[in-house]
Amino acid sequence: MIENGFTYLALLMMIGSAIVYSEKKSQHKLFEYLPSIVIIYFVVMLFSTFGLWQKSESVTATYKTVKSNLLPAMIFLMLLSADMREIFKLGKKMLLTFFLASVSIAIGFIGTFTLFHTYFEPNSWKAFAALSGSWMGGTANMVAIQGALDLPDSAMGYTLLIDSIDYAIWVMILLALVPFAKKFNLWSKADTSVIDEVGERLALKEDEKKPIDFASLFFLLGSALFVSALAQYGASFLPTTPFLTTTTWIVIIATLAGTLFAMTPLAKISGGSELANIMLYLIVALIASRANFAELTEAPLYILAGFVIITIHVSIMILFAKLFKLDLFSLGVASLANIGGVASAPILASAYSKALIPIGVLMAMTGYIVGTFGGLMVGKVLEIIGQ
């Protein structure tokens, strides 16, 4: 049983690096269907279930400190390889897809509650309303709706249970689907020329970069950590609302910094993507370390309801993908920007292309704006159904 924070962190790093090294050296077919990031998530969650580490004060402090400090640094480094002038060419389509995802999630909640509400306690609609706020925005929206609807803290346990388990599995599925993007796009007849063009242009820019060297890596690492520190310091002075929490401000500042510096000579320094990926894989391992397969035996009806919501959401998205010729990247990032928020949408976007990370961040930010209002609207409908 690991109780020391540094040992816990070192083990996560070792697990992640060993899996990535195996993918690179073995070239096993398993990695064609399950990317290393998915396997890391599964393996770490499995160890968490077996209780390899304890949520001691040291481990919890390490988790919070490393995750909160690395997230803005990772976003900054990843955005250095993105040119917003190219990204804006995708903006309209992505935003429309985002709102399609929001509406389909709302329909999923309404349809699921209509089917299952007689099996839940009378005021269960409040828990689902709070969850809908989270799945159309983020945790801040969930808390805002909890206060607005006077949802007891004890009832929030069900909401958090669905949010953690169903969301975790959905992230794994979306990441595992990345290799099948081309086949899906052929089926939906999606035009990915704009996305492909951006990727090709960025590939050419990558070719122009100089080889990675020690000085470059050191300077980029120092810059990223310094931006992370400044973002957190600056965010502490900014006003907060249910929509704009301190964490949201930190992400916004890091995003703006990365976007601005992407147009400076700093973006031409090699090694940013590699450092960002190390941080990314560690963050994913940290997230998985707080999950637990044993929780699948608790409140099975609530967990099932969460999967039904996602199934309805996915069915509607696939239907509109065929009708409007949408690509898998747009659908996946729009879905995760709603359900996962700002911490996970960029992760999925990066699995497709580092150039598309800003879209994931911006779409997740949109979720913070619409999540509370959307959740309250869904809650009103659920209340009517539950009467």
Side-chain angles (χ1 to χ4, degrees):
M1 179 79 70
I2 296 174
E3 297 183 8
N4 179 269
F6 180 76
T7 306
Y8 155 78
L9 182 64
L11 178 61
L12 294 183
M13 283 290 291
M14 190 63 234
I15 293 172
S17 61
I19 292 173
V20 172
Y21 186 82
S22 299
E23 179 184 30
K24 182 69 175 178
K25 296 298 181 180
S26 70
Q27 301 294 323
H28 196 278
K29 288 186 178 181
L30 172 66
F31 294 104
E32 295 179 8
Y33 302 98
L34 287 176
S36 56
I37 195 168
V38 176
I39 298 176
I40 289 171
Y41 199 103
F42 176 78
V43 171
V44 173
M45 185 188 289
L46 195 63
F47 284 142
S48 176
T49 302
F50 290 146
L52 192 56
W53 47 79
Q54 192 177 47
K55 291 181 181 179
S56 63
E57 184 177 343
S58 177
V59 168
T60 300
T62 300
Y63 165 82
K64 292 180 178 179
T65 301
V66 175
K67 184 173 179 288
S68 61
N69 288 313
L70 280 190
L71 182 60
M74 179 201 72
I75 291 174
F76 173 75
L77 286 173
M78 284 188 168
L79 287 175
L80 285 181
S81 62
D83 189 336
M84 286 302 295
R85 290 168 294 187
E86 300 293 341
I87 297 301
F88 277 127
K89 294 179 182 179
L90 305 175
K92 183 178 180 180
K93 175 184 176 183
M94 293 303 303
L95 286 174
L96 289 174
T97 309
F98 171 85
F99 285 111
L100 170 61
S102 299
V103 172
S104 63
I105 289 171
I107 294 174
F109 272 93
I110 294 171
T112 301
F113 196 73
T114 300
L115 292 173
F116 292 97
H117 74 276
T118 55
Y119 298 98
F120 297 115
E121 60 274 11
N123 288 324
S124 61
W125 64 270
K126 293 184 178 182
F128 282 97
L131 180 64
S132 69
S134 176
W135 280 11
M136 287 191 283
T139 305
N141 304 97
M142 179 193 295
V143 174
I145 293 175
Q146 179 194 14
L149 300 179
D150 195 23
L151 175 65
D153 290 336
S154 58
M156 280 292 286
Y158 294 113
T159 302
L160 295 171
L161 185 66
I162 302 173
D163 194 30
S164 60
I165 295 177
D166 295 55
Y167 154 72
I169 294 176
W170 183 229
V171 171
M172 292 175 61
I173 292 173
L174 286 176
L175 288 170
L177 288 176
V178 171
F180 302 96
K182 289 185 178 180
K183 291 183 179 180
F184 182 90
N185 296 341
L186 286 174
W187 172 79
S188 66
K189 298 181 180 179
D191 180 12
T192 60
S193 59
V194 179
I195 296 176
D196 295 337
E197 182 183 348
V198 172
E200 290 173 4
R201 289 182 184 179
L202 288 170
L204 292 175
K205 291 182 180 179
E206 286 290 328
D207 292 339
E208 296 173 359
K209 287 187 176 182
K210 297 179 181 180
I212 299 174
D213 58 70
F214 170 73
S216 298
L217 287 175
F218 206 167
F219 183 69
L220 284 171
L221 179 60
S223 301
L225 295 179
F226 187 62
V227 167
S228 176
L230 286 179
Q232 294 178 71
Y233 179 75
S236 66
F237 293 98
L238 295 172
T240 59
T241 69
F243 307 103
L244 292 173
T245 63
T246 300
T247 302
T248 305
W249 279 121
I250 292 171
V251 172
I252 291 174
I253 294 172
T255 300
L256 291 175
T259 302
L260 291 174
F261 278 95
M263 303 180 207
T264 69
L266 185 63
K268 297 180 181 180
I269 301 177
S270 300
S273 295
E274 288 74 14
L275 282 174
N277 279 330
I278 292 174
M279 295 179 183
L280 167 66
Y281 280 58
L282 178 56
I283 290 172
V284 169
L286 285 167
I287 294 172
S289 72
R290 310 296 283 188
N292 193 327
F293 280 117
E295 293 177 348
L296 293 173
T297 60
E298 302 176 25
L301 187 57
Y302 279 88
I303 297 171
L304 174 62
F307 285 123
V308 173
I309 293 168
I310 292 177
T311 300
I312 295 174
H313 157 63
V314 172
S315 300
I316 294 174
M317 294 288 279
I318 292 176
L319 174 63
F320 276 89
K322 188 65 174 178
L323 292 175
F324 297 103
K325 301 178 180 180
L326 301 176
D327 60 276
L328 187 61
F329 164 78
S330 301
L331 296 172
V333 174
S335 175
L336 204 54
N338 277 271
I339 297 176
V342 78
S344 52
I347 293 176
L348 180 62
S350 70
Y352 287 90
S353 171
K354 301 297 183 295
L356 304 174
I357 292 171
I359 292 297
V361 174
L362 294 173
M363 290 173 68
M365 290 298 154
T366 305
Y368 281 120
I369 299 173
V370 304
T372 299
F373 299 110
L376 289 173
M377 291 175 62
V378 169
K380 186 61 179 178
V381 176
L382 301 184
E383 181 183 15
I384 295 172
I385 294 173
Q387 290 176 350

